[in-house]
Amino acid sequence: EPEVTQTPSHQVTQMGQEVILRCVPISNHLYFYWYRQILGQKVEFLVSFYNNEISEKSEIFDDQFSVERPDGSNFTLKIRSTKLEDSAMYFCASSEVADTIYFGEGSWLTVV
Amino acid sequence: AQSVTQLDSQVPVFEEAPVELRCNYSSSVSVYLFWYVQYPNQGLQLLLKYLSGSTLVKGINGFEAEFKKSETSFHLTKPSAHMSDAAEYFCAVSGPPGNTGKLIFGQGTTLQVKP
């Protein structure tokens, strides 16, 4: 069964460093998303991406965040200058027609 | 704005007892509704969804949910719990159809299954 894959599964970074989280969405999907889950809290929407541009973003997704689809298969989330409060599980997700969304296993980011 | 309320943060049940996890939503537009399950240290797995049609939807692992528009509810049920059902369950809403597909999640409910 096709699945969304994410790398790395866990990353520890120092405050102020740049981080790139990578995702390979399901191959025939056209809509891509990033969500995050701070430990013990609910899953929060960050951004959606369609047709090579951001279609919607949340208030969390400020100027330190960016997304990119550098080629036909990868979808990345970049955090320019990480803060302690960016520590969370980051989920990549994709959807064929923006109704049913499938999630990856997540990337744990720990900022120290 | 849309929101989702999961009324119980934890639901303890005995093995083979029935399960009900409650979910209410708020939305001024038509919605799609979902339940996801998260096992420890794993990602979110789609359990079931309501997009349109029959308001009683069946999902994986014997779970089902009923969309009740008048009550703005989408409660998850299972007739008999297994130990393997112990996990975190998230209710989510998106909409309206044709939108970006962004999901709004509830706080989650931890299902505890006791032998």
Side-chain angles (χ1 to χ4, degrees), chain B residues 41-95:
Chain B
N41 301 315
Q42 293 190 25
L44 296 165
Q45 181 181 6
L46 180 65
L47 205 51
L48 50 76
K49 62 184 179 183
Y50 170 77
L51 302 181
S52 66
S54 173
T55 57
L56 182 63
V57 292
K58 296 185 185 299
I60 61 172
N61 303 336
F63 283 94
E64 62 182 38
E66 186 172 10
F67 171 50
K68 294 186 177 180
K69 189 175 181 179
S70 61
E71 299 176 11
T72 61
S73 69
F74 191 56
H75 301 334
L76 182 70
T77 60
K78 183 173 180 178
S80 175
H82 296 151
M83 296 298 291
S84 59
D85 294 327
E88 187 84 8
Y89 291 80
F90 292 94
C91 181
V93 63
S94 72

Side-chain angles (χ1 to χ4, degrees), chain A residues 37-84:
Chain A
Q37 185 182 27
I38 294 172
L39 191 62
Q41 298 186 22
K42 66 179 176 181
V43 180
E44 302 173 288
F45 168 78
L46 292 178
V47 66
S48 60
F49 191 87
Y50 171 72
N51 201 25
N52 286 319
E53 61 181 22
I54 291 173
S55 49
E56 188 173 359
K57 61 183 181 179
S58 71
E59 291 180 353
I60 302 167
F61 195 87
D62 60 23
D63 290 345
Q64 69 160 345
F65 290 93
S66 63
V67 289
E68 193 177 35
R69 188 157 164 80
D71 52 42
S73 59
N74 290 284
F75 181 52
T76 62
L77 174 69
K78 182 192 288 186
I79 309 175
R80 268 181 260 285
S81 178
T82 50
K83 306 174 208 170
L84 294 176

Side-chain angles (χ1 to χ4, degrees), chain A residues 24 31 34 97 100:
Chain A
V24 179
Y31 297 81
W34 283 99
V97 291
T100 308

Side-chain angles (χ1 to χ4, degrees), chain A residues 5-7 51 56 61 67 70 86 90:
Chain A
T5 57
Q6 291 186 238
T7 54
N51 201 25
E56 188 173 359
F61 195 87
V67 289
D86 293 327
Y90 288 81

